[in-house]
Amino acid sequence: MAQKKAEIRVFVDGVPLKIIDDLLGVKGNTRSEVVRTILQEWFNANIEKMKEWEKQRKEAAGKGYVPKKMEVG
């Protein structure tokens, strides 16, 4: 099965836009490719932290520190 894809539109200005432009040709050939690469690298570098955050959130919800997620359906 193919992976789900979606277009996400964002507006960036100032220093972050300059950094994205400076990375053209290094991280991608378009601004969109540069942002996609940055996001992928961030997720790859932080996936373990994200798993730990989810574990901590579940424990906090179980002990009443935060609301439990609402079930959809």
Side-chain angles (χ1 to χ4, degrees), residues 14-72:
V15 175
L17 180 58
K18 182 184 182 313
I19 292 169
I20 290 167
D21 285 346
D22 288 348
L23 292 172
L24 285 168
V26 177
K27 298 278 187 188
N29 293 319
T30 65
R31 287 175 171 169
S32 293
E33 288 177 358
V34 170
V35 171
R36 181 176 183 267
T37 300
I38 291 169
L39 280 172
Q40 287 178 323
E41 289 174 350
W42 187 91
F43 284 122
N44 289 337
N46 290 285
I47 192 72
E48 291 304 318
K49 288 179 189 173
M50 292 166 59
K51 290 177 184 175
E52 180 61 25
W53 294 334
E54 181 62 16
K55 177 184 168 202
Q56 292 292 333
R57 192 208 60 77
K58 285 180 182 177
E59 288 178 12
K63 294 181 179 182
Y65 287 95
V66 297
K68 292 184 181 183
K69 284 188 178 176
M70 300 283 292
E71 294 294 323
V72 177

